[in-house]
Amino acid sequence: MTEFERIVIVGAGVAGLRAAERLRELDYDGELVIIGDEPRWPYHRPLVSKNLLSGSDRAADLTLQRHVDTGARWRLGTRVERLETQRKVVHLPGGEEIKYDGLIIATGVEPRHLKGVPRHSPRVHTLRTVDEAMAVKRTIQESD
């Protein structure tokens, strides 16, 4: 599996991590670049709304275990702004471009917002990420 020199994985969550690990298991020996807009290493998302909010775990406790050393170059806290499939390029902030030979999009989904819920109220939160869970905890503590 060496026909690609660089594979870019857009999405640094569990799917992106596991895709990189699987490529290494399949003997891919080219460059791997994993890009994710969150500033954290991949973590267990279900535990965000359970253990983190209850206080039984800290954010650092949620980090996913790595099964394979991917040797990937991680670009955390970096959002892919657009994709040019003809040129095989992903565009990052500041005009940076990363060329790829192979591309995996593992970004997950955006949360749905319920109709009629005041989206801009400081007491209404989306709960999907560690940072969002911490904001919920702060709101609860402030209302006590």
Side-chain angles (χ1 to χ4, degrees):
M1 178 177 232
T2 58
E3 65 263 14
F4 299 119
E5 290 183 32
R6 176 186 294 142
I7 294 179
V8 171
I9 300 173
V10 179
V14 65
L17 171 62
R18 298 301 181 231
E21 289 176 334
R22 186 65 181 137
L23 286 167
R24 293 302 188 212
E25 290 171 349
L26 293 170
D27 295 325
Y28 172 70
D29 61 358
E31 181 183 6
L32 285 175
V33 180
I34 303 174
I35 305 168
D37 60 353
E38 282 193 73
R40 301 177 188 281
W41 290 97
Y43 55 88
H44 291 276
R45 284 201 188 272
L47 299 183
V48 166
S49 62
K50 297 168 182 57
N51 300 23
L52 188 61
L53 278 181
S54 72
S56 62
D57 281 336
R58 297 167 301 144
D61 299 328
L62 307 181
T63 302
L64 287 169
Q65 179 182 6
R66 285 142 183 86
H67 302 295
V68 174
D69 180 12
T70 63
R73 183 165 48 113
W74 290 80
R75 298 290 303 269
L76 299 176
T78 304
R79 185 175 199 90
V80 172
E81 293 181 335
R82 66 188 175 96
L83 167 67
E84 268 188 84
T85 57
Q86 296 290 339
R87 291 183 51 220
K88 293 186 175 184
V89 169
V90 293
H91 293 266
L92 306 180
E96 183 180 359
E97 296 181 352
I98 297 180
K99 290 189 168 285
Y100 62 84
D101 301 296
L103 176 69
I104 297 173
I105 299 177
T107 55
V109 296
E110 289 292 319
R112 291 178 42 195
H113 297 280
L114 300 174
K115 278 188 171 184
V117 174
R119 292 169 101 177
H120 301 292
S121 168
R123 296 182 49 82
V124 176
H125 297 276
T126 301
L127 180 53
R128 191 172 154 266
T129 68
V130 167
D131 291 337
E132 290 166 347
M134 300 309 289
V136 169
K137 276 184 94 166
R138 282 191 299 276
T139 298
I140 292 169
Q141 290 167 346
E142 290 168 2
S143 66
D144 285 343

